C-alpha cells in the first residue's frame, strides 16, 4: 500500500512538472530575430514602373545600380518570398516631351504596384520654355496615375538632382537656381494634387565635397548616390504597398 502511494505521488509529480514546463515554453515570447515580415503584395508579385531620363536609366552606372533596381532589390530584401520586376522607360537626354511621346506608344498596363516619376532636368538644361514643363508635367502625372493599379496613392514623384555639384557643373549657382525653380513647381503641384513627393536634391548637392556621389562621367549620380535616394524612397514604398514601417 505504501509503495502504491509513493508511485502515485511520483506520477502526479511528473505530470505536474512536465505540464508546467510546457506552459512555460508556450508563454515565452519568440526571438525578435526569428520574426518574418509577411508579404503584403497580392500573388507575391510586385511590379515597379519608373519613368524619366538619365537619372532613371542610370547613365554611367551598371544596370542593377540605378535607383529603380536598387529599390526593387531593397523591397525583396525586406519582404519574404517577394517576386519583383522593375520596368524602366527612360533615355538619357529626354525632356517631358520625349517621355510623353514614348508613353503614347508604350501600351502599358494599369496594374503596376508602384510608379515613380523623375523628369525635368533636360527641359532646364536645354533652356526650354518653363510653360512647356508646367503643362507636360501635369500630363505625365496623369499618365503615371493611370498605370498604377490603385491610382495616385501608388505614385512617387522624385525631385530633380542638381548637376551644378558635379565637375561638369563646377558649382554654377545659375544651374542650382534653375533646378530649384523646377523642383519648387513639382513640389507645389504634388502638394496641391495629393501626390507623394520625395526630395533627394540635397543628396546630390554634396557631390563636389564627396566625389563618390558622382559617376565617372563627372555629371551623373553614382551608385552610392542612388543608394541614398533609395534610403528615402524605400519607407514610403513599403507603406504604399501595405507594409507600414512605423
Amino acid at each position: 500500500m505504501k509503495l502504491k502511494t509513493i508511485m502515485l505521488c511520483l506520477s502526479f509529480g511528473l505530470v505536474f512538472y512536465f505540464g508546467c514546463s510546457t506552459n512555460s515554453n508556450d508563454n515565452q515570447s519568440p526571438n525578435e530575430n526569428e520574426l518574418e515580415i509577411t508579404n503584403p503584395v497580392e500573388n507575391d508579385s510586385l511590379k515597379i514602373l519608373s519613368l524619366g531620363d538619365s537619372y532613371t536609366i542610370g547613365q554611367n552606372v551598371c544596370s542593377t545600380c540605378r535607383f529603380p533596381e536598387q529599390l526593387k532589390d531593397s523591397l525583396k530584401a525586406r519582404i519574404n518570398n517577394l517576386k519583383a520586376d522593375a520596368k524602366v522607360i527612360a533615355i538619357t537626354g529626354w525632356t517631358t516631351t520625349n517621355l510623353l511621346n514614348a508613353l503614347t506608344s508604350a501600351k502599358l498596363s494599369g496594374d503596376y504596384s508602384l510608379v515613380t516619376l523623375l523628369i525635368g532636368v533636360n527641359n532646364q538644361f536645354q533652356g526650354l520654355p518653363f510653360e512647356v514643363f508646367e503643362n507636360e508635367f501635369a500630363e505625365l502625372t496623369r499618365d503615371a496615375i493611370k498605370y498604377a493599379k490603385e491610382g495616385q496613392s501608388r505614385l512617387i514623384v522624385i525631385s530633380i538632382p542638381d548637376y551644378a555639384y558635379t565637375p561638369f557643373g563646377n558649382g554654377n549657382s545659375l544651374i542650382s537656381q534653375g533646378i530649384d525653380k523646377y523642383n519648387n513647381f513639382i513640389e507645389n503641384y504634388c502638394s496641391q494634387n495629393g501626390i507623394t513627393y520625395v526630395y533627394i536634391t540635397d543628396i546630390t548637392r554634396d557631390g563636389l565635397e564627396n566625389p563618390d556621389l558622382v559617376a565617372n562621367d563627372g555629371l551623373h549620380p553614382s551608385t552610392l548616390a542612388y543608394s541614398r535616394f533609395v534610403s528615402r524612397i524605400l519607407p514610403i514604398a513599403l507603406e504604399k504597398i501595405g507594409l507600414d514601417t512605423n
Side-chain angles (χ1 to χ4, degrees):
M1 180 69 179
K2 187 180 287 188
L3 181 59
K4 275 177 106 174
T5 303
I6 291 171
M7 292 299 292
L8 191 59
C9 289
L10 281 172
S11 298
F12 280 127
L14 288 171
V15 169
F16 179 79
Y17 172 77
F18 286 116
C20 290
S21 297
T22 302
N23 289 338
S24 175
N25 288 336
D26 286 344
N27 292 331
Q28 285 179 350
S29 298
N31 188 320
E32 197 169 280
N33 293 328
E34 295 174 356
L35 294 175
E36 294 184 348
I37 297 176
T38 56
N39 188 342
V41 182
E42 292 181 6
N43 302 321
D44 296 329
S45 181
L46 180 77
K47 292 175 64 178
I48 301 171
L49 174 65
S50 292
L51 311 174
D53 49 39
S54 60
Y55 294 138
T56 298
I57 198 70
Q59 182 69 31
N60 275 74
V61 298
C62 71
S63 60
T64 58
C65 301
R66 56 197 182 191
F67 86 82
E69 292 291 335
Q70 289 200 48
L71 177 60
K72 179 196 74 175
D73 291 341
S74 295
L75 288 166
K76 289 176 70 174
R78 289 291 301 273
I79 303 171
N80 292 328
N81 304 315
L82 179 68
K83 299 172 186 175
D85 176 67
K87 183 176 181 63
V88 173
I89 297 182
I91 294 290
T92 298
W94 269 6
T95 64
T96 48
T97 304
N98 298 131
L99 181 55
L100 276 171
N101 290 338
L103 293 178
T104 300
S105 58
K107 296 181 181 178
L108 295 168
S109 62
D111 62 346
Y112 285 90
S113 311
L114 288 171
V115 181
T116 68
L117 175 63
L118 197 177
I119 193 70
V121 68
N122 294 299
N123 291 65
Q124 183 275 332
F125 179 74
Q126 296 177 26
L128 300 179
F130 191 69
E131 294 76 15
V132 171
F133 179 78
E134 291 176 308
N135 294 328
E136 293 186 343
F137 181 81
E139 286 186 60
L140 285 168
T141 57
R142 288 193 290 270
D143 282 347
I145 287 167
K146 287 191 301 185
Y147 304 136
K149 64 180 178 181
E150 293 185 19
Q152 72 181 44
S153 67
R154 295 294 183 94
L155 173 61
I156 300 174
V157 172
I158 302 163
S159 70
I160 302 170
D162 189 351
Y163 65 94
Y165 291 82
T166 66
F168 177 89
N170 197 31
N172 187 334
S173 61
L174 291 178
I175 295 174
S176 295
Q177 290 171 22
I179 297 298
D180 282 342
K181 180 179 180 179
Y182 277 76
N183 280 334
N184 288 338
F185 172 80
I186 294 169
E187 182 177 14
N188 290 333
Y189 181 88
C190 289
S191 177
Q192 291 166 10
N193 292 277
I195 297 170
T196 299
Y197 172 79
V198 178
Y199 186 74
I200 51 81
T201 309
D202 59 321
I203 295 170
T204 62
R205 284 177 171 163
D206 287 334
L208 289 176
E209 291 185 7
N210 184 359
D212 289 342
L213 293 172
V214 183
N216 59 16
D217 65 353
L219 173 59
H220 292 94
S222 66
T223 301
L224 174 62
Y226 286 131
S227 296
R228 294 188 180 179
F229 292 4
V230 171
S231 70
R232 293 191 182 174
I233 299 168
L234 179 61
I236 296 168
L238 286 166
E239 185 176 349
K240 284 185 176 296
I241 63 174
L243 184 59
D244 194 341
T245 56
N246 293 328

